[in-house]
Amino acid sequence: MQFVDEASIIVEAGRGGNGCLSFRREKYVPKGGPDGGDGGHGGSVYLVGDDSLNTLIDFKYQRFYQAESGRPGQGRQMSGRAGSDLVVKVPVGTTVIDEDTLEVIADITEIGQQVLVAQGGRRGLGNIHFKSSTNRAPRKTTPGTDGERRNLRLEMKVMADVGLLGMPNAGKSTLIRSVSAAKPKVADYPFTTLVPNLGVVKLGMHEHFVMADVPGLIEGASDGAGLGLRFLKHLTRTRLLFHVVDVAPFDESDPIEAAQAIAHELEQFSPTLAERPRWLVINKLDLVPEEEREARVAAIVEGLAWEGPVYRISAISGEGTDALVQAAHRWLTEQRRLEHEDEEAAEREREMRERMEAEAVARTEARLGRKRKRCDHDDDDFDDDDYDVEVEYVE
């Protein structure tokens, strides 16, 4: 199945039914009076979170969603039938944005969470409502109103507790394969990972957490270079970041410069995301002689002026990975306990997520604005959705 995490759709609620102009006509009742019924309300459009979906690919092929309109009123004071609501299923972790106003309408983060995105039109009134002592035969009715029509942008972000970030070929995919049942593609060339991968890290019968591996970042990712900008947003759902650093890059690049570049791109994309707790995970120690390992690690820590937790691992052999995931599980458990017991801690977490969401939306809209400008000057009939992965290069 293709992984599609962005889609634009149009939703239109149903129109309300018109009121009826009718007069009672029965034998021996020559002046029966008005009896026109009301129209039915138009159906509304709702989005609901569904855990059986993990991609927005369905919205790539169907982009228009319309609820049923209400039926008009009838004589004998009979109201028209209301239009049925339309409920559209979306993956949990979907953010709904109004493309015209850039307003974030909702963030669907729970199974079954239902959000109204287009309100149905109101019903029209029949002439029975306009009868009075001075107007015994009113010919006035009101029409039903149009339902709301909105252009929406859906952005799906994977729901995970821990996010992996680092340069291409840092070993992120190997790490998630090592500690979970996820089997992302692994190879000895950059950008092997083209879409986010989720893995459930199990530590016991009822103890686990979810880890997300996103495509590798490169310098300039926050401005659209490589695959970074498209997928950095997935990290905004995480609570903890593992910054994976290759201790022995195959191209003999400087690990310190690579780590600093990633930190800079994170800050440029979302200053709030850069404030998230981040652990330094130094990978591929199996490629370094044992007598040189400590010196290599110390040089990286000192060069980065790192003050947070540092873990030494070899993802391919599993060395050090158990200690890493055990520590992450303890940290996540403690954070959840604090948020459950301390309302201020829970509020801080909510505010941080809101800031990250706003920053991610701003970055996405800036990218879309640049794309629209390029398309305006391009004679080719280019459709972004023709491609599953977009690669942008900046000078």
Side-chain angles (χ1 to χ4, degrees):
M1 178 181 291
Q2 295 176 337
F3 181 86
V4 178
D5 61 348
E6 294 181 357
S8 294
I9 64 173
I10 300 171
V11 294
E12 184 174 321
R15 176 183 172 82
N18 296 330
C20 177
L21 175 62
S22 175
F23 292 93
R24 184 180 176 191
R25 291 289 186 267
E26 296 181 24
K27 191 175 183 180
Y28 307 121
V29 187
K31 297 180 181 180
D35 69 348
D38 301 334
H41 290 300
S44 299
V45 181
Y46 294 87
L47 300 184
V48 62
D50 190 317
D51 63 340
S52 66
L53 303 176
N54 56 13
T55 175
L56 297 175
I57 190 170
D58 291 342
F59 301 99
K60 177 178 178 181
Y61 301 105
Q62 182 179 348
R63 298 190 173 185
F64 183 68
Y65 296 85
Q66 184 176 28
E68 184 182 16
S69 295
R71 304 298 297 171
Q74 300 179 38
R76 297 188 179 183
Q77 302 183 34
M78 290 190 294
S79 297
R81 181 172 61 84
S84 301
D85 293 333
L86 177 64
V87 178
V88 181
K89 296 179 180 181
V90 298
V92 175
T94 299
T95 300
V96 187
I97 304 169
D98 189 312
E99 282 202 316
D100 298 321
T101 64
L102 304 186
E103 172 195 4
V104 177
I105 298 173
D107 204 10
I108 301 176
T109 58
E110 298 178 2
I111 300 172
Q113 180 181 346
Q114 187 165 284
V115 176
L116 173 66
V117 293
Q119 177 67 55
R122 294 185 62 81
R123 66 183 182 181
L125 301 178
N127 65 336
I128 191 174
H129 290 279
F130 301 97
K131 180 177 66 173
S132 68
S133 60
T134 58
N135 187 4
R136 299 299 182 87
R139 294 183 174 275
K140 180 180 180 181
T141 62
T142 60
T145 61
D146 291 330
E148 280 188 298
R149 180 186 174 98
R150 302 178 96 169
N151 298 313
L152 302 180
R153 182 169 187 81
L154 306 180
E155 293 189 355
M156 192 198 79
K157 304 177 183 69
V158 297
M159 304 292 288
D161 301 299
V162 176
L164 306 180
L165 74 156
M167 285 286 188
N169 275 81
K172 302 183 299 299
S173 296
T174 304
L175 174 58
I176 201 172
R177 287 174 65 101
S178 175
V179 300
S180 76
K183 300 300 179 186
K185 182 179 179 180
V186 174
D188 59 354
Y189 54 85
F191 295 115
T192 310
T193 302
L194 297 178
V195 299
N197 294 291
L198 291 181
V200 178
V201 182
K202 295 184 177 180
L203 296 97
M205 183 65 69
H206 301 292
E207 297 181 335
H208 65 273
F209 63 87
V210 181
M211 182 180 291
D213 167 31
V214 301
L217 307 180
I218 61 174
E219 190 171 355
S222 60
D223 291 323
L227 307 178
L229 184 58
R230 179 77 179 267
F231 297 114
L232 264 170
K233 63 187 178 186
H234 292 284
L235 296 179
T236 61
R237 300 287 190 193
T238 62
R239 294 171 176 267
L240 176 64
L241 298 175
F242 286 173
H243 189 156
V244 183
V245 177
D246 185 351
V247 73
F250 70 93
D251 59 358
E252 299 183 354
S253 59
D254 187 351
I256 298 174
E257 292 182 359
Q260 290 172 337
I262 294 298
H264 175 72
E265 296 306 322
L266 200 64
E267 175 72 27
Q268 290 294 108
F269 175 78
S270 170
T272 307
L273 178 59
E275 295 175 8
R276 276 297 200 197
R278 186 156 39 103
W279 294 1
L280 185 64
V281 179
I282 300 178
N283 189 25
K284 301 187 181 180
L285 286 180
D286 56 299
L287 300 180
V288 180
E290 289 190 16
E291 61 272 14
E292 298 180 16
R293 292 181 181 180
E294 282 304 317
R296 289 269 192 109
V297 171
I300 293 174
V301 172
E302 182 180 355
L304 295 174
W306 192 269
E307 297 180 354
V310 179
Y311 289 87
R312 304 159 174 80
I313 70 167
S314 171
I316 196 168
S317 68
E319 178 185 350
T321 57
D322 186 61
L324 174 63
V325 297
Q326 290 285 354
H329 181 258
R330 289 193 297 269
W331 187 91
L332 291 167
T333 302
E334 178 63 16
Q335 290 302 306
R336 294 192 185 97
R337 184 190 66 79
L338 285 174
E339 291 174 21
H340 179 72
E341 298 177 357
D342 187 348
E343 182 58 34
E344 291 185 2
E347 181 62 26
R348 285 195 300 271
E349 176 65 20
R350 284 193 292 269
E351 290 177 354
M352 177 171 280
R353 287 184 180 273
E354 289 174 0
R355 292 201 306 272
M356 284 191 295
E357 184 61 42
E359 291 163 358
V361 169
R363 273 289 172 180
T364 299
E365 291 306 324
R367 175 172 65 87
L368 293 175
R370 291 195 299 268
K371 185 189 301 179
R372 291 190 188 106
K373 289 181 180 179
R374 288 197 304 271
C375 290
D376 289 341
H377 298 288
D378 191 350
D379 294 331
D380 295 333
D381 185 14
F382 176 82
D383 183 4
D384 176 48
D385 285 328
D386 289 341
Y387 300 91
D388 297 327
V389 176
E390 175 190 6
V391 181
E392 296 184 19
Y393 298 92
V394 294
E395 298 283 308

